[in-house]
Amino acid sequence: MGVTGEQIGPARSRERFLVGESVGTGVRSPILNSWLRCRLLALSPDQTELPYRDDFDPDSRLVRAAGPVLDQLQSRFSGSRMNISVADANGTVLQRRFGEPSLARSLPPIQSMPGFVFAERFAGTNGIGLALAERGPIQVYGAEHFAERAQSNACCAIPIRDQISGRIAGVLCFGYPHAYERPALALLLRRAAATIEQRLTEQSSERERGLLRAYLDAERRALPGRGAQDGHFAGAAVLAESAGLNERDEPVGPELDPHDQAILKDRATELISSSRQAAVDVALPHGREATLLSRPVTSRSGVEGMVVEAVLRSSTSPVHHLSVSPRTAPSGAEPSRAGPAPAGPPPLTAEPRPATVRGLVLVGEPEVGRYAIEARRRLELLAEASTRIGTTLDVSRTARELAEMAVPALADYVTVDLPEAVLRGDDPTGPGTGLYRTVVHGIRDDCPFYPAGRQVELLPGNPIMRCLTEGHAFLEPELKSAAGWIAQDPERAGQIMARGVHSLIAVPLLARGVLLGIASFYRSQDPAPFGDDDSRLAQELAARAALCIDNARRYTREHALALALQRSLLPRGMPEQSAVEVAHRYLPAESGVGGDWFDVIPLSGARVALLVGDVVGHGLHAAATMGRLRTAARNFAELELAPDELLTHLDNLLVRLDREEGDDHTTGSTGIVGATCLYVVYDPTSRECTMARAGHFPPALVLPDGSVSFPDLPAGPPLGLGGLPFETAEIELPQGSTLVLYTDGLVEDRHRDIDVALDQLQQSLTHADRSPEDTCQAVMDAMAPEHPSDDIALLVARTHTLPADRIAAWNLPADPARVSDIRAAATRQLAHWGLDELAFATELLLSELVTNAIRYGSEPIQVRLIHDRALICEVSDGGSTAPHMRRAANTDEGGRGLFLVAQLARSWGTRYTPHGKVIWAECALDTA
């Protein structure tokens, strides 16, 4: 409402607007946009002079249709200060009525006399002008009027449309004091406008009726003895049918197939719309032919129209099956004043010919015929659009197909603007932001629209921007009066209008509730401006195109996401290792893919790391972040970091990525909102399991006896918060235990409680004798929803223990003389394991590693050999300084030991422990 209890809101807002201040939410959108147009038109609020026209027709069709309705309204509002007016499509007031007749003498002429023009470009924000500008019903209260003279009044107005053409014929407006505002006024206004529109249609029907009577009277006088071969085709509709002809007005004649009737009516409509006398041959199915004859006819009231007859003949045999009745004039028809029938094709003779029949097809006015043709062409255009728009899953190509479909059938030029986010397959960030000119297409290439590929920044008053922000189509019949469109770029607007462009329809591309962009349709060749029918057709085309664009956008996004997932979401295969037997499952969400992942990472010393994680959110950004985290986790694991240290590094990485992407405004990223992670390291030599988690669910532990528990593991904050510590927990697992790691999609569901889900998971894991693969399948069968709303990652690992006879360890003091003893003991152990071929290489490795530990490390020093899938040599000491391999010069006496280790071993490295470090090297068992 424009009036509040304290008379603030629009009044205060109008004051701020007039002095150039910004206006908040206290003004309705149509009113504020009208104020903006008034400012662009340089109108003055205290302007009182309006254009006056004395050349309007006081007896126009609109006046005749509205007169009885206005009389009834005047009677209804008798004694009130109601002002009732009817204006034409240009805003010129044609008629006024007053509930209190004396008001006409007390009001100034501008408010009481017909002839003044209340178009918005002259009168500012007012009922008549705003109804024409918005092309729909409106209400204006007090201070919402732009002009000072109207501040004390309120009004409501509604356009009156010609139901045949669909164009606005005028406006019906109620003006009244504030105190007279009633909710029923809007309903009464709509009913009154509908009655006037019906009376306009009846006037058109009467005109068609007069044309038909004139034709029948002229034919009766010209051919009083016409025989049975002349008649009207029964069922072949005439335009006058819409005028309500009764059975006495409809002559009868030969019956035609409905398909034949449609062919004859379509061609006859074209002849009527052409407004010329002609003879056209028409081929009908089954070998028949017809000639359509058109000629002018004038009714007794002076209405000029066209009549179309058909001469039907067969090319093979007489038409014996057609039943023909004599033509008769309508009952009660007056003698024709149309005079003799105009000259035309010679009439058929009265002598009957068995294979030829003549009859009336259509009669009507050329303008009505044109509307019928336009309506048919619109339907044909929509039918064609369903096959021509959306032939590919390419966003830009689909937008061009929309433009190619509309030119020249609907418009002469079409531009399509889409946000950059839509072009790359993402969701648009907001209306009017990041728009790029995607398509410019028209009948000429030299029209100075913004070129394709250019970023488009729209001003608030531009109708195209209004279309985006308000989410509905906008029609500008006359661009020369569209101040907001001109203000966008006055020089370029002048160049465009100089090419003859004069009318605009801006339509939002809406699909599935998402605003994808905007299509603008311009007209130049046709002198008539766009109308509401054109606007509805443009909206239909845009709706179909928007759906196809959205499909293409979604395909683009999903395709890119699928490629990213293929590269980085899941490991392509499980690595070879002996610590655990693993199985896994991954189930993506039904709509959109998230950032869930899992991994199995072999570590030094026969250990293995198990990892599951979940990036918050869905879509390409979440999947890409997940890929980064998984890659980083593998790299950090290679550095032999403890679980809590690894999570700290991941946390720092996520914070840094979030900060970097937040600073880069060109990427369109919305930022990373966080992730959860569970990291487990299992050592088969000691059966020790070390775990840490960052906001993730703890694993489920299935012991060999079938008992299931969830270890009490410190929760830790989610990744991405930064600055908070993580804690580890260590437990010793019996051989044959099973660890079950999962993401929240397995247990979190809006249809069930989390505790219930965890109990259900616990019950599904009670069978300890199942293999990891069977356990995976049983858990998914019991827990996975039919339509998952979130990704599910599941990793099941059954632990193994490395036998004691596969491990050999020696403690030694920091004495270089003991190096030879270690070499000898290692050689004996390798012979015991049947690995004599590795003895030479192992001796060299141990000599170098043990010497370095004695020389540069500190006690305690230990040597350990592990016979697993490879031979692992480990030398640990209490120092914290790790050796580094370098390239030794020819003159250097040292620096070649680690180079030798790297050549002999398949891999080597250093890991730190709470008591020092371990330098390890792996030798392949097949090394000769």
Side-chain angles (χ1 to χ4, degrees):
M1 293 291 289
V3 179
T4 65
E6 300 179 2
Q7 294 297 316
I8 60 175
R12 295 284 298 275
S13 298
R14 181 174 175 274
E15 293 175 4
R16 292 197 300 268
F17 179 84
L18 292 177
V19 298
E21 296 180 6
S22 61
V23 178
T25 58
V27 181
R28 293 179 292 134
S29 177
I31 301 298
L32 180 57
N33 288 319
S34 179
W35 289 357
L36 290 171
R37 292 193 296 269
C38 293
R39 172 186 289 171
L40 293 171
L41 292 167
L43 296 180
S44 173
D46 56 1
Q47 180 179 351
T48 57
E49 296 297 329
L50 293 181
Y52 178 78
R53 297 181 55 184
D54 57 4
D55 59 347
F56 67 91
D57 185 1
D59 192 36
S60 66
R61 293 179 58 228
L62 179 59
V63 171
R64 294 198 306 272
V69 179
L70 296 181
D71 292 339
Q72 293 179 10
L73 290 173
Q74 182 179 24
S75 175
R76 181 186 183 98
F77 294 118
S78 177
S80 71
R81 298 181 61 85
M82 180 68 69
N83 184 334
I84 309 158
S85 58
V86 169
D88 63 16
N90 297 316
T92 303
V93 175
L94 304 178
Q95 287 280 299
R96 283 192 182 274
R97 297 285 194 279
F98 299 93
E100 177 55 53
S102 62
L103 283 176
R105 297 188 296 272
S106 62
L107 293 176
I110 195 175
Q111 297 180 9
S112 59
M113 290 180 56
F116 286 95
V117 182
F118 281 81
E120 188 183 61
R121 65 180 181 273
F122 301 121
T125 308
N126 72 94
I128 293 174
L130 191 54
L132 290 173
E134 296 292 324
R135 308 184 72 80
I138 59 92
Q139 292 174 306
V140 185
Y141 305 94
E144 291 182 333
H145 289 87
F146 189 76
E148 294 286 353
R149 62 174 177 271
Q151 296 296 295
S152 61
N153 295 322
C155 63
C156 55
I158 188 171
I160 299 170
R161 285 181 167 81
D162 186 329
Q163 297 299 305
I164 295 178
S165 67
R167 302 187 184 278
I168 292 179
V171 176
L172 176 63
C173 181
F174 292 170
Y176 44 87
H178 280 303
Y180 202 77
E181 170 64 32
R182 299 290 188 277
L185 281 180
L187 178 60
L188 180 61
L189 183 73
R190 287 196 296 270
R191 289 178 176 175
T195 303
I196 296 175
E197 291 174 349
Q198 179 61 33
R199 289 181 59 81
L200 280 173
T201 303
E202 291 173 357
Q203 287 185 19
S204 299
S205 302
E206 186 58 35
R207 292 160 67 94
E208 299 288 354
R209 188 191 298 269
L211 288 174
L212 179 60
R213 290 198 179 103
Y215 163 77
L216 295 176
D217 291 345
E219 287 291 288
R220 183 179 56 182
R221 290 197 310 274
L223 298 172
R226 180 173 294 176
Q229 275 69 30
D230 301 318
H232 294 277
F233 298 113
V238 294
L239 293 182
E241 286 179 355
S242 64
L245 283 176
N246 54 36
E247 294 181 359
R248 294 176 301 173
D249 290 323
E250 288 192 11
V252 296
E255 296 181 357
L256 287 179
D257 180 87
H259 183 58
D260 296 342
Q261 296 178 27
I263 294 174
L264 294 177
K265 285 188 291 182
D266 284 347
R267 296 303 303 274
T269 304
E270 295 175 0
L271 288 174
I272 290 176
S273 65
S274 67
S275 188
R276 62 188 178 87
Q277 185 172 326
V280 178
D281 289 332
V282 180
L284 297 175
H286 310 297
R288 288 179 292 176
E289 295 181 357
T291 299
L292 292 180
L293 311 173
S294 66
R295 56 189 174 89
V297 62
T298 303
S299 72
R300 287 168 291 184
S301 60
V303 177
E304 297 181 352
M306 299 294 294
V307 63
V308 179
E309 297 176 306
V311 178
L312 181 64
R313 58 188 181 278
S314 171
S315 59
T316 55
S317 61
V319 189
H320 297 297
H321 65 280
L322 292 177
S323 59
V324 182
S325 301
R327 176 181 301 158
T328 59
S331 174
E334 299 179 6
S336 174
R337 301 175 186 172
L348 299 176
T349 62
E351 291 295 328
R353 290 182 295 175
T356 302
V357 178
R358 177 183 176 185
L360 173 66
V361 180
L362 288 178
V363 60
E365 295 180 85
E367 282 298 318
V368 179
R370 292 190 186 99
Y371 296 144
I373 291 177
E374 290 175 3
R376 187 181 72 230
R377 287 176 178 171
R378 289 189 178 99
L379 291 175
E380 293 172 350
L381 184 64
L382 289 175
E384 187 179 0
S386 63
T387 60
R388 286 184 54 186
I389 299 177
T391 59
T392 66
L393 287 172
D394 181 83
V395 173
S396 298
R397 178 58 197 164
T398 304
R400 173 158 289 275
E401 288 170 347
L402 167 63
E404 293 173 347
M405 189 72 244
V407 175
L410 171 62
D412 298 308
Y413 298 94
V414 174
T415 64
V416 180
D417 303 324
L418 301 176
E420 183 185 13
V422 172
L423 292 173
R424 65 171 181 260
D426 293 337
D427 292 330
T429 56
T433 59
L435 280 179
Y436 278 82
R437 178 60 46 87
T438 306
V439 174
V440 180
H441 182 65
I443 57 176
R444 296 173 57 180
D445 295 331
D446 60 347
C447 202
F449 294 102
Y450 291 141
R454 171 172 172 169
Q455 187 170 4
V456 180
E457 296 181 0
L458 301 173
L459 298 179
N462 194 318
I464 300 177
M465 186 62 181
R466 291 186 61 194
C467 175
L468 285 169
T469 55
E470 299 181 25
H472 60 84
F474 273 84
L475 169 61
E476 287 287 357
E478 296 182 4
L479 284 178
K480 64 182 180 181
S481 301
W485 180 80
I486 295 174
Q488 173 72 33
D489 190 338
E491 181 180 356
R492 189 176 295 271
Q495 295 172 356
I496 292 174
M497 289 188 289
R499 297 292 198 280
V501 177
H502 60 81
S503 191
L504 162 69
I505 302 173
V507 184
L509 297 173
L510 284 166
R512 302 181 178 97
V514 178
L515 180 61
L516 302 173
I518 189 167
S520 303
F521 303 82
Y522 296 88
R523 174 170 287 179
S524 64
Q525 297 289 92
D526 190 341
F530 282 127
D532 290 319
D533 286 345
D534 299 310
S535 178
R536 283 189 285 270
L537 177 59
Q539 292 176 59
E540 285 286 343
L541 291 175
R544 299 181 185 216
L547 188 60
C548 296
I549 289 174
D550 192 48
N551 289 337
R553 176 186 69 89
R554 289 168 178 262
Y555 172 79
T556 301
R557 181 185 62 191
E558 296 299 332
H559 181 64
L561 179 60
L563 293 179
L565 292 176
Q566 185 179 12
R567 292 190 297 265
S568 60
L569 181 59
L570 298 173
R572 297 186 178 181
M574 293 292 100
E576 294 183 357
Q577 45 81 36
S578 302
V580 292
E581 178 187 355
V582 297
H584 59 85
R585 291 289 188 276
Y586 181 82
L587 182 63
E590 190 171 70
S591 59
V593 179
D596 292 19
W597 88 97
F598 65 90
D599 213 343
V600 178
I601 308 171
L603 301 177
S604 64
R607 297 171 306 137
V608 67
L610 307 175
L611 179 69
V612 292
D614 180 12
V615 175
V616 177
H618 291 79
L620 178 60
H621 188 62
T625 303
M626 175 277 304
R628 292 176 175 182
L629 287 178
R630 176 174 175 258
T631 301
R634 293 188 68 89
N635 292 334
F636 293 146
E638 292 288 339
L639 296 176
E640 302 285 354
L641 298 178
D644 56 339
E645 295 178 1
L646 182 139
L647 293 181
T648 299
H649 282 281
L650 289 180
D651 183 46
N652 294 334
L653 172 65
L654 204 55
V655 171
R656 186 166 60 253
L657 290 175
D658 196 10
R659 186 185 307 116
E660 291 174 356
E661 295 186 5
D663 294 339
D664 186 4
H665 301 292
T666 62
T667 62
S669 171
T670 57
I672 301 170
V673 294
T676 64
C677 184
L678 171 63
Y679 187 69
V680 177
V681 176
Y682 175 68
D683 188 348
T685 64
S686 62
R687 293 186 285 110
E688 183 177 273
C689 182
T690 306
M691 298 178 284
R693 63 183 177 129
H696 204 87
F697 284 97
L701 174 60
V702 185
L703 296 178
D705 61 359
S707 61
V708 181
S709 63
F710 297 92
D712 186 12
L713 180 61
L719 300 177
L721 297 182
L724 298 176
F726 300 93
E727 300 181 58
T728 61
E730 297 181 358
I731 57 176
E732 184 175 329
L733 301 180
Q735 180 177 354
S737 300
T738 300
L739 287 169
V740 180
L741 289 70
Y742 52 91
T743 56
D744 57 359
L746 184 70
V747 295
E748 284 188 345
D749 192 301
R750 63 177 180 270
H751 300 298
R752 62 184 175 185
D753 185 78
I754 182 65
D755 293 330
V756 174
L758 290 175
D759 290 341
Q760 190 176 359
L761 174 62
Q762 190 173 17
Q763 294 175 6
S764 65
L765 293 173
T766 54
H767 301 279
D769 55 344
R770 285 193 299 227
S771 67
E773 186 66 31
D774 292 339
T775 300
C776 271
Q777 190 60 47
V779 170
M780 295 300 290
D781 291 342
M783 302 292 298
E786 183 177 355
H787 302 286
S789 58
D790 194 7
D791 293 6
I792 297 175
L794 176 65
L795 182 64
V796 177
R798 174 174 291 175
T799 64
H800 297 303
T801 301
L802 196 65
D805 60 356
R806 291 291 188 101
I807 304 172
W810 300 274
N811 296 319
L812 69 157
D815 182 3
R818 299 296 300 275
V819 175
S820 59
D821 297 336
I822 290 297
R823 288 200 303 264
T827 301
R828 290 192 298 271
Q829 186 63 51
L830 292 177
H832 176 70
W833 287 338
L835 301 176
D836 300 282
E837 68 276 8
L838 295 178
F840 179 73
T842 303
E843 285 183 7
L844 291 178
L845 287 173
L846 289 178
S847 295
E848 177 60 28
L849 295 180
V850 172
T851 301
N852 282 343
I854 294 174
R855 179 177 299 179
Y856 304 110
S858 61
E859 294 184 349
I861 300 174
Q862 185 185 67
V863 176
R864 188 169 69 156
L865 295 181
I866 302 175
H867 182 197
D868 191 28
R869 292 177 179 270
L871 177 64
I872 303 171
C873 303
E874 294 182 346
V875 177
S876 62
D877 65 81
S880 60
T881 303
H884 297 279
M885 186 173 62
R886 62 184 178 88
R887 183 177 295 277
N890 293 333
T891 59
D892 291 342
E893 295 182 359
R896 298 176 179 84
L898 288 180
F899 180 79
L900 180 64
V901 170
Q903 299 302 310
L904 294 174
R906 182 173 64 182
S907 60
W908 74 281
T910 304
R911 71 174 182 267
Y912 292 93
T913 68
H915 307 291
K917 68 177 181 294
V918 176
I919 302 176
W920 56 269
E922 287 186 7
C923 295
L925 296 182
D926 57 355
T927 300

